Amino acid sequence: MNEIKKRIDTELRELRLPPDFAARITESQNHARPTTASCPDTFPMRQQRIPSCAPMHRLRHIAAAVLCIALLGTSAFAAGSLLHSRINVNQQSIPDLAPMEVIPLQAVEGTLTEYGQLQKTYTSMETLENELGIRLLGANLAAGNPYLKISYTKTGDGYNTIDIKEYLLGDLTDIREWDRKDVDNTREGNDRWYAWTHGTVYKSPVDLKIRIISDVSQPELDIDYLGYFQYIETFTSEQGYTVNVLQDTVAEGQQTSLPDDFVPRTIMIFVADGIQYTLEGRVQVQALKEIINTMTY
């Protein structure tokens, strides 16, 4: 079960929406905004090499059912307008974050996928920010990190995501390229690129996802976390950001098989100056809070 869940998590982290996703949803609802997100039948995803113990197409459908990210709504917004996006956990609304805003970005040259998405990879956040013409929050602890995997995706006219894998490594040790061999999950971890030995505070790297709405025609953004996730709390960071905290849960009956120092996956989401940031990793909650408290431009 742990292995299946781990593979689902991998699929979710690489989930990509087709460009007509919003149209499918709004069309099926006769242009009425639903209270929870629904999912299309299929989601395009990047191919990845994962040892197989179940048919990959079934895992992808399971992954799509566990977490659906929907672009919803029918209203157009002027630049600088406020977008009151919603975050739901298992169909239950949680406290609102600060509103997102329409923030124009500079056009970049990248690769156009078969699904109509523009994609580009970067080796540094500085280069990405310069090309997009924007300043983003960052953590000083990420400076000089040679393991960063940065990818930019634009879907439709104005839905932009920046995925930063291996953003923070904390006290992880023995970081190495993953050789596709099984690791000892009681003291090690791995993702698509790397394997590592657990630290005391970090059991995995912390990833950062940034979402930006850049066009007035882009509808509001709703996110549904379904299945394993639960809402933990909302707190205010030292900079004044409202932060929602979610956490992965352990399936009933598995608690006894976990090591004493097990740390579940934690997700923290906040909006700063109209841009949404999501930090995620198997890191102690207080450590993730301290990271957010120190993020600056």
Side-chain angles (χ1 to χ4, degrees):
M1 181 61 72
N2 282 335
E3 181 63 22
I4 292 174
K5 182 176 180 297
K6 182 178 178 180
R7 295 181 187 184
I8 291 173
D9 287 342
T10 301
E11 292 293 334
L12 293 177
R13 286 194 293 269
E14 299 304 319
L15 204 59
R16 294 291 184 270
L17 293 176
D20 63 344
F21 181 71
R24 295 190 204 178
I25 298 296
T26 54
E27 204 171 285
S28 66
Q29 297 295 323
N30 295 321
H31 301 286
R33 185 185 182 93
T35 56
T36 59
S38 57
C39 298
D41 292 334
T42 59
F43 290 80
M45 281 177 259
R46 277 190 259 173
Q47 292 182 349
Q48 48 192 304
R49 295 176 59 194
I50 301 175
S52 176
C53 72
M56 288 306 298
H57 72 278
R58 291 183 60 193
L59 285 178
R60 285 177 171 143
H61 282 291
I62 295 170
V66 174
L67 173 59
C68 305
I69 301 177
L71 310 183
L72 303 171
T74 57
S75 302
F77 298 87
S81 294
L82 304 183
L83 287 73
H84 292 277
S85 59
R86 301 282 182 181
I87 298 175
N88 304 310
V89 179
N90 289 314
Q91 303 183 17
Q92 298 296 316
S93 295
I94 62 177
D96 290 341
L97 299 175
M100 297 180 69
E101 299 178 15
V102 175
I103 299 175
L105 300 177
Q106 295 175 174
V108 302
E109 294 184 1
T111 301
L112 195 64
T113 72
E114 61 181 308
Y115 305 104
Q117 295 172 305
L118 178 71
Q119 295 184 336
K120 186 171 184 178
T121 59
Y122 292 86
T123 57
S124 76
M125 288 299 295
E126 181 180 5
T127 302
L128 179 145
E129 291 180 35
N130 288 339
E131 288 201 6
L132 292 179
I134 194 172
R135 294 183 65 201
L136 299 167
L137 282 177
N140 290 333
L141 293 174
N145 178 358
Y147 300 98
L148 287 180
K149 301 288 185 182
I150 306 169
S151 63
Y152 165 74
T153 302
K154 181 178 181 180
T155 302
D157 292 328
Y159 178 58
N160 307 266
T161 59
I162 301 166
D163 282 297
I164 311 165
K165 306 299 186 184
E166 332 297 337
Y167 183 59
L168 298 173
L169 302 175
D171 60 350
L172 299 176
T173 58
D174 191 24
I175 301 167
R176 60 206 184 269
E177 288 190 8
W178 182 40
D179 58 8
R180 300 301 189 265
K181 296 180 181 178
D182 291 340
V183 299
D184 180 356
N185 290 327
T186 63
R187 63 182 188 87
E188 296 179 312
N190 71 276
D191 58 18
R192 287 180 59 195
W193 300 279
Y194 299 107
W196 55 82
T197 298
H198 294 166
T200 302
V201 178
Y202 284 61
K203 306 303 179 183
S204 80
V206 170
D207 296 335
L208 173 63
K209 180 186 286 289
I210 301 171
R211 296 183 175 98
I212 304 171
I213 303 300
S214 62
D215 191 270
V216 297
S217 65
Q218 178 62 54
E220 299 183 32
L221 173 67
D222 278 7
I223 302 175
D224 271 4
Y225 290 88
L226 305 176
Y228 289 112
F229 298 99
Q230 64 178 351
Y231 167 69
I232 301 298
E233 62 172 313
T234 297
F235 73 94
T236 302
S237 72
E238 292 182 2
Q239 308 95 319
Y241 307 135
T242 299
V243 185
N244 283 333
V245 181
L246 313 180
Q247 204 165 65
D248 206 352
T249 58
V250 179
E252 186 176 353
Q254 289 188 340
Q255 292 88 341
T256 57
S257 63
L258 296 173
D260 293 338
D261 63 348
F262 176 78
V263 176
R265 181 170 299 277
T266 298
I267 300 173
M268 294 193 183
I269 312 168
F270 66 97
V271 174
D273 298 316
I275 296 173
Q276 187 182 100
Y277 297 80
T278 302
L279 288 162
E280 178 177 349
R282 289 187 57 205
V283 178
Q284 294 177 5
V285 169
Q286 187 56 41
L288 211 50
K289 287 183 177 181
E290 291 172 2
I291 292 168
I292 292 176
N293 286 335
T294 59
M295 292 179 74
T296 59
Y297 289 103

